[in-house]
Amino acid sequence: MQSFDLDRTDVLRIKNALEGDDAALEKVLSEYHASEIAILFEQLPQEAKERIINMLPAGIGSEILTEMTEEAHPEEILISLEPEKRSEIIEELDYDVATDIISQLEEHEQNEILEDIDQENATSIRALLNYDEETAGGLMNSEIISVNINQDKRGALAEIIRQSEEMEEFYTIYVVNDMNVLQGILSLKDIIKARFDVKVRDLVKSDYVYVKADLDQEEVARLISQYNLTSIPVVDDNMKLLGRITVDDIIDVMEEENTEDILKISGVSEDEELSGNWKDAVKSRLPWLIINLATAFLAASIIRNFDATVKSLAVISAYMTIIAGMGGNTATQALAVTVRRISLSDLSDRQAYNTVLKEFLVGMINGAANGIIVFTVAFFYDANPTLGLVLFLAMTGNLIVAGVTGASIPLILKRVGIDPAVASSIIITTFTDCIGFFLPLWLASKLLL
Amino acid sequence: MQSFDLDRTDVLRIKNALEGDDAALEKVLSEYHASEIAILFEQLPQEAKERIINMLPAGIGSEILTEMTEEAHPEEILISLEPEKRSEIIEELDYDVATDIISQLEEHEQNEILEDIDQENATSIRALLNYDEETAGGLMNSEIISVNINQDKRGALAEIIRQSEEMEEFYTIYVVNDMNVLQGILSLKDIIKARFDVKVRDLVKSDYVYVKADLDQEEVARLISQYNLTSIPVVDDNMKLLGRITVDDIIDVMEEENTEDILKISGVSEDEELSGNWKDAVKSRLPWLIINLATAFLAASIIRNFDATVKSLAVISAYMTIIAGMGGNTATQALAVTVRRISLSDLSDRQAYNTVLKEFLVGMINGAANGIIVFTVAFFYDANPTLGLVLFLAMTGNLIVAGVTGASIPLILKRVGIDPAVASSIIITTFTDCIGFFLPLWLASKLLL
């Protein structure tokens, strides 16, 4: 099967099939992969989704729920299902996915669901519900393959095959001692290729990376990416093996974190759902706009102090908006590069210093280049070379300030433990607006009046 | 080994060790993982890097080169190595990594390197050099495990073990026919668990996703993420198996694409290297700033048309900067949410229409909320209720325009095939500045003079 793009035709086909009986509907649905049905779900009404999940085999239903984004609220479908179907589906779900979905429900709904299902599963899910969703513990899956370090090849291989019965796919085999303390990893290839008298102890690799359950998911993603891992074991404070995180879980984390980064740098609350409604959007954005308004009043108060200058040289108010705006753009460029660098790796003091120095230089050069253009316009269009000089100096000065603040504010915020993407853009806009208004007005008041 | 953060102490330790002999240096380096050495390399001079790679075993040297970012220029180290060491290292590198590194060199350097190495490797790398680096073909690795559909379990297992000898890790086993045409995939677990008289033909799964070699890497990443794959086979136009792309290659692609997205949305050329020098930064950013300057002149020309208004009501020039600035912020918020939505999935016409409608509503509500604040300030501070009304109307109007353009410009650019992240922010800033200046000035000229 090659992937194809879903479009409105697909939605219409399913909507048509929903008019008919289950057999016809099932036939149409059978042409789609579970992850495609999950995407099409976004455009179907709640009753249709419930009917489809109730109708399809639990194996496919569980895959669809797995593939639905958090924003499509798979938990609402889960809670609405007939109890028997629901239990079947939960048995099919990976523990980490089941936990993520169930964690979105009210506590009494969680208990209702967990009482219905197999007690072993319920215990595992309850244990996972205790971890913060955005940590290694919240991300991990407790379905792992582990063998005892004292086993021989035959015993270990039998154990691996037994444990893999219920798993879709597996990567690394973990080796533990009698106390379930992690001892290392074992490659399936090595054990298949080994002679029959070899012991797990002889094959175990102790050079591996692990994480503690309370590590932030962003750090987990960084480790997996840095060490090119396909999975990483999760342990508790006593090094007991709790579960593993696989690279495909990390892809979702990366998408999530990247969405958060882009939203935060643009002054949108990181919790805003991309497909949320207007009420959520107002709630997420209005606070930022009001903070921005307060800082804008601050910048505007500078203009008020130069009322006389504005009155006698009205054209300066057109030019100052240009200089402030160019400062904002320059600062945003420096900010984006710096924030992205910080989020990919920590910078040493020396690297941080060099970054700020570089942005000083870039600001100065770009400021002078744009300053010459503004000078030229003032010289020819306004026939006012002194105004041109004022504007050249103001542009250069503001773009230097913009470059330096754009690079240093996120670095400072990072050092004091504040997420650089959140607060940076408001702080730097305020800076570049204030300086962008002040410099041309002040220089004009000194040199032109 | 738990990961630890590298800091200046680590760089200093290695710099100290570089003063001593090879044995002492090797001892210090042995405490670091290859990927950590790759990070530390960023702060070492070229000669030190060459000495370290020449000194360490080729297996570790190749890992270090693999982990170095493109920006750290591993190809400069490779070309500088002694020919024998270089050949050893290239043999150890995955073909896709070797190709990526070699592709950065001049053609005569490429030929020099490829003539030195084993002819089979050279042929594979030459074939990969023909694919664009940012397509499936450029990303794929030709080291795969494949079995013939007509083999039995014993033959297939022997073949798998033989082919896996030289591979670090493997995921999926591919099944081909006598013509090397892809027939499906085979799970290692299934073949281990199968009885000995079972044939590959009985175990092959034909429900799998593949990609053509010329598919863009961003599409490959989307497929792997959407279908939760650990690897994906790459075929030519005749469905002949060429190689596979693994999920860890995709993590690098995602980081690259996300860096590009953040840079583009901030008006920085996507090719700018995050750790590049000031000359590269000026080259990458100045063109955008000059385009911005041109559009800023356009917006400022609106102010010039209201010279009389500004002269008689100087305070309006302070307020108009607030209204234009708030429009810019609102548009950036709508833009970020929309660009991110588009980059995660295609929107249907109906979804696109709903998105614009939502941003209209959000702009109106946030505009009215901020408009009331500005009205209040004008009423009490400036004791001018009519000015307050002008500002309330201008704020609401501009934030509606900001929301609608912030959502619709990227949607329109996407439809006409332009990358929405690139041009959007300049276009919307121009819009919100022009309307943000025009509305208060025009309303003031009608209602206040």
Side-chain angles (χ1 to χ4, degrees):
Chain A
M1 168 189 64
Q2 184 161 28
S3 84
F4 51 95
D5 283 331
L6 298 171
D7 59 23
R8 217 169 49 180
T9 341
D10 299 294
V11 180
L12 288 178
R13 278 193 68 201
I14 290 180
K15 285 195 170 160
N16 275 334
L18 278 163
E19 314 270 314
D21 62 8
D22 281 4
L25 178 57
E26 197 162 351
K27 189 156 174 298
V28 170
L29 289 172
S30 71
E31 289 171 38
Y32 296 91
H33 190 280
S35 66
E36 290 162 347
I37 300 180
I39 293 172
L40 293 168
F41 260 30
E42 287 175 21
Q43 297 181 56
L44 295 180
Q46 182 68 14
E47 318 82 67
K49 293 188 256 188
E50 290 168 18
R51 177 176 160 205
I52 289 173
I53 298 286
N54 266 318
M55 185 189 76
L56 290 174
I60 298 174
S62 66
E63 274 185 61
I64 297 174
L65 291 182
T66 301
E67 293 302 320
M68 287 175 69
T69 60
E70 205 175 292
E71 304 186 354
H73 298 292
E75 76 280 5
E76 289 174 8
I77 299 180
L78 192 69
I79 193 73
S80 73
L81 294 176
E82 294 152 18
E84 201 182 328
K85 189 69 174 189
R86 191 164 65 202
S87 302
E88 275 174 47
I89 284 187
I90 293 176
E91 313 261 312
E92 292 281 341
L93 287 173
D94 284 347
Y95 287 140
D96 59 336
V97 178
T99 307
D100 282 351
I101 297 178
I102 292 173
S103 70
Q104 302 298 315
L105 295 166
E106 305 284 328
E107 206 171 322
H108 70 271
E109 292 171 322
Q110 293 184 0
N111 288 328
E112 186 193 322
I113 289 183
L114 292 175
E115 275 159 23
D116 268 357
I117 64 172
D118 180 81
Q119 272 320 295
E120 197 187 315
N121 291 344
T123 311
S124 297
I125 293 173
R126 275 187 207 281
L128 290 179
L129 278 171
N130 287 327
Y131 294 105
D132 179 342
E133 205 193 329
E134 302 213 331
T135 64
L139 210 60
M140 74 184 176
N141 198 320
S142 44
E143 284 163 325
I144 46 177
I145 297 184
S146 65
V147 295
N148 192 295
I149 194 161
N150 300 314
Q151 280 180 301
D152 59 9
K153 168 172 173 167
R154 191 182 301 265
L157 214 49
E159 188 63 19
I160 291 166
I161 290 176
R162 193 187 65 75
Q163 291 182 29
S164 68
E165 287 295 337
E166 291 179 9
M167 295 176 68
E168 265 303 290
E169 184 137 23
F170 64 88
Y171 307 78
T172 311
I173 299 154
Y174 299 108
V175 180
V176 294
N177 67 9
D178 296 336
M179 308 287 293
N180 197 34
V181 168
L182 187 61
Q183 305 288 305
I185 57 174
L186 176 68
S187 118
L188 182 60
K189 193 177 72 182
D190 286 351
I191 195 153
I192 293 176
K193 283 157 62 181
R195 292 188 355 211
F196 265 88
D197 53 356
V198 165
K199 288 226 151 97
V200 170
R201 183 175 297 283
D202 306 318
L203 298 171
V204 65
K205 292 180 200 155
S206 53
D207 174 30
Y208 63 97
V209 184
Y210 64 85
V211 292
K212 294 275 171 73
D214 56 2
L215 194 72
D216 186 83
Q217 63 175 5
E218 217 168 333
E219 282 300 313
V220 179
R222 204 191 277 190
L223 280 175
I224 288 200
S225 153
Q226 180 180 336
Y227 292 97
N228 272 341
L229 306 172
T230 49
S231 67
I232 196 166
V234 182
V235 296
D236 69 10
D237 288 337
N238 302 314
M239 283 295 291
K240 289 199 184 184
L241 182 61
L242 298 172
R244 60 151 192 194
I245 296 166
T246 52
V247 67
D248 50 305
D249 298 322
I250 287 306
I251 290 212
D252 299 336
V253 171
M254 287 181 67
E255 277 186 354
E256 216 178 289
E257 299 284 347
N258 284 311
T259 298
E260 281 181 21
D261 274 358
I262 290 195
L263 293 188
K264 282 186 294 191
I265 215 172
S266 306
V268 179
S269 154
E270 57 182 299
D271 300 325
E272 179 170 332
E273 297 186 357
L274 294 181
S275 56
N277 64 21
W278 61 269
K279 277 182 236 157
D280 296 332
V282 169
K283 223 176 354 179
S284 129
R285 302 183 205 168
L286 187 52
W288 284 106
L289 289 176
I290 290 178
I291 296 176
N292 257 301
L293 182 58
T295 67
F297 271 117
L298 182 71
S301 71
I302 291 174
I303 305 176
R304 280 178 185 264
N305 282 322
F306 290 94
D307 254 19
T309 314
V310 172
K311 267 191 208 298
S312 62
L313 188 74
V315 73
I316 197 76
S317 76
Y319 277 117
M320 82 189 173
T321 63
I322 295 178
I323 287 166
M326 293 296 286
N329 289 324
T330 301
T332 304
Q333 292 176 330
L335 178 69
V337 172
T338 310
V339 164
R340 191 64 193 156
R341 262 195 96 179
I342 297 176
S343 89
L344 288 178
S345 68
D346 288 329
L347 295 191
S348 69
D349 288 349
R350 168 139 220 106
Q351 285 175 313
Y353 171 80
N354 285 337
T355 303
V356 176
L357 189 69
K358 168 182 134 185
E359 294 301 340
F360 175 92
L361 265 172
V362 174
M364 190 170 68
I365 296 165
N366 285 343
N370 286 289
I372 289 170
I373 298 175
V374 186
F375 173 88
T376 312
V377 174
F379 189 91
F380 288 104
Y381 189 78
D382 294 304
N384 189 339
T386 317
L387 175 65
L389 181 67
V390 162
L391 296 174
F392 173 84
L393 293 174
M395 180 73 88
T396 311
N398 197 31
L399 265 53
I400 290 174
V401 172
V404 170
T405 49
S408 56
I409 301 280
L411 288 167
I412 293 168
L413 291 177
K414 170 85 181 178
R415 295 282 148 125
V416 298
I418 300 173
D419 183 342
V422 176
S424 301
S425 92
I426 279 191
I427 301 180
I428 61 163
T429 318
T430 309
F431 251 91
T432 52
D433 271 0
C434 289
I435 309 289
F437 296 148
F438 175 77
L439 281 180
L441 289 169
W442 178 71
L443 288 169
S445 73
K446 295 285 168 200
L447 300 177
L448 282 164
L449 300 187
Chain B
M1 168 189 63
Q2 184 163 26
S3 83
F4 51 95
D5 282 330
L6 298 171
D7 58 25
R8 217 169 49 182
T9 341
D10 298 295
V11 180
L12 288 178
R13 277 193 68 200
I14 292 179
K15 285 195 171 161
N16 275 334
L18 280 163
E19 312 271 312
D21 62 8
D22 280 6
L25 178 59
E26 197 161 351
K27 190 157 174 297
V28 169
L29 289 172
S30 70
E31 290 170 37
Y32 296 90
H33 189 281
S35 67
E36 290 161 347
I37 299 179
I39 292 172
L40 293 168
F41 261 29
E42 288 176 20
Q43 297 181 56
L44 295 180
Q46 182 68 14
E47 319 82 68
K49 292 188 256 189
E50 289 168 18
R51 177 175 160 206
I52 289 173
I53 299 286
N54 266 318
M55 184 188 77
L56 291 174
I60 297 175
S62 66
E63 274 184 61
I64 297 174
L65 291 181
T66 302
E67 292 302 320
M68 287 175 71
T69 60
E70 203 175 293
E71 304 186 357
H73 299 293
E75 76 279 5
E76 289 174 8
I77 298 179
L78 193 69
I79 192 76
S80 73
L81 294 176
E82 294 151 19
E84 199 181 329
K85 189 70 175 188
R86 191 165 65 203
S87 302
E88 275 174 46
I89 285 186
I90 293 176
E91 312 261 313
E92 292 282 341
L93 287 172
D94 284 347
Y95 287 140
D96 58 338
V97 178
T99 307
D100 282 351
I101 297 178
I102 292 172
S103 69
Q104 301 299 315
L105 295 166
E106 304 285 327
E107 206 171 323
H108 70 270
E109 293 171 321
Q110 294 183 1
N111 289 330
E112 186 193 322
I113 289 183
L114 291 174
E115 274 159 25
D116 267 357
I117 63 172
D118 178 82
Q119 273 320 297
E120 197 188 315
N121 291 343
T123 312
S124 296
I125 293 173
R126 276 188 205 280
L128 290 179
L129 279 171
N130 288 327
Y131 294 104
D132 179 342
E133 205 193 329
E134 302 213 331
T135 63
L139 211 59
M140 75 184 176
N141 198 318
S142 44
E143 286 164 322
I144 45 176
I145 298 185
S146 65
V147 295
N148 193 295
I149 195 160
N150 300 314
Q151 281 180 300
D152 59 9
K153 169 174 173 167
R154 191 182 301 265
L157 214 49
E159 189 62 22
I160 290 166
I161 291 176
R162 192 187 64 76
Q163 292 182 28
S164 68
E165 286 297 337
E166 292 179 8
M167 296 176 66
E168 267 299 292
E169 185 138 21
F170 64 88
Y171 306 79
T172 311
I173 299 154
Y174 300 107
V175 179
V176 295
N177 67 10
D178 296 335
M179 308 289 291
N180 196 34
V181 169
L182 187 60
Q183 305 290 304
I185 56 174
L186 176 68
S187 122
L188 182 60
K189 194 176 72 183
D190 285 351
I191 195 153
I192 293 177
K193 282 157 63 180
R195 291 186 358 204
F196 265 86
D197 53 356
V198 166
K199 288 227 151 100
V200 169
R201 183 175 297 284
D202 307 317
L203 297 171
V204 65
K205 292 181 201 154
S206 52
D207 173 30
Y208 63 96
V209 184
Y210 64 85
V211 292
K212 294 276 172 73
D214 56 1
L215 194 71
D216 185 82
Q217 62 175 5
E218 216 168 336
E219 282 300 313
V220 179
R222 206 191 274 190
L223 280 175
I224 288 201
S225 154
Q226 181 179 335
Y227 292 97
N228 271 340
L229 306 172
T230 48
S231 67
I232 196 166
V234 182
V235 296
D236 69 10
D237 288 337
N238 302 314
M239 282 297 289
K240 290 201 183 180
L241 183 61
L242 298 172
R244 61 150 192 195
I245 296 166
T246 53
V247 66
D248 50 305
D249 298 323
I250 287 306
I251 290 215
D252 299 337
V253 171
M254 287 181 68
E255 276 187 354
E256 217 177 287
E257 299 284 347
N258 283 311
T259 298
E260 282 181 21
D261 273 358
I262 289 196
L263 294 187
K264 282 186 293 191
I265 212 173
S266 307
V268 179
S269 154
E270 57 182 297
D271 300 325
E272 179 171 333
E273 297 185 357
L274 294 181
S275 55
N277 64 20
W278 62 269
K279 277 182 236 156
D280 296 332
V282 169
K283 223 175 357 179
S284 131
R285 304 185 204 166
L286 187 53
W288 284 107
L289 288 176
I290 290 179
I291 296 176
N292 256 301
L293 183 58
T295 66
F297 273 117
L298 183 70
S301 70
I302 291 173
I303 305 176
R304 284 178 183 265
N305 282 322
F306 291 94
D307 254 19
T309 313
V310 172
K311 267 194 209 296
S312 61
L313 188 73
V315 73
I316 197 77
S317 76
Y319 277 116
M320 81 189 175
T321 64
I322 295 178
I323 287 165
M326 294 295 288
N329 289 323
T330 301
T332 304
Q333 292 176 331
L335 178 68
V337 172
T338 310
V339 164
R340 191 64 192 155
R341 262 195 96 180
I342 296 176
S343 88
L344 288 177
S345 68
D346 288 329
L347 296 190
S348 67
D349 288 348
R350 168 138 220 107
Q351 286 175 314
Y353 171 79
N354 285 337
T355 302
V356 175
L357 188 68
K358 168 181 134 185
E359 295 300 341
F360 176 90
L361 264 173
V362 174
M364 189 170 68
I365 294 166
N366 285 342
N370 285 288
I372 288 170
I373 298 175
V374 187
F375 173 86
T376 311
V377 173
F379 189 90
F380 288 104
Y381 190 78
D382 293 304
N384 190 339
T386 317
L387 174 65
L389 180 69
V390 163
L391 297 173
F392 172 84
L393 292 174
M395 181 74 88
T396 311
N398 196 31
L399 265 53
I400 290 174
V401 172
V404 170
T405 49
S408 57
I409 300 283
L411 288 166
I412 293 167
L413 290 176
K414 170 85 181 179
R415 295 283 148 122
V416 298
I418 299 174
D419 183 341
V422 177
S424 299
S425 93
I426 280 191
I427 301 179
I428 61 164
T429 317
T430 310
F431 252 92
T432 52
D433 271 0
C434 290
I435 309 289
F437 297 148
F438 174 76
L439 280 181
L441 290 169
W442 178 71
L443 288 169
S445 72
K446 294 286 166 199
L447 299 178
L448 281 163
L449 300 184

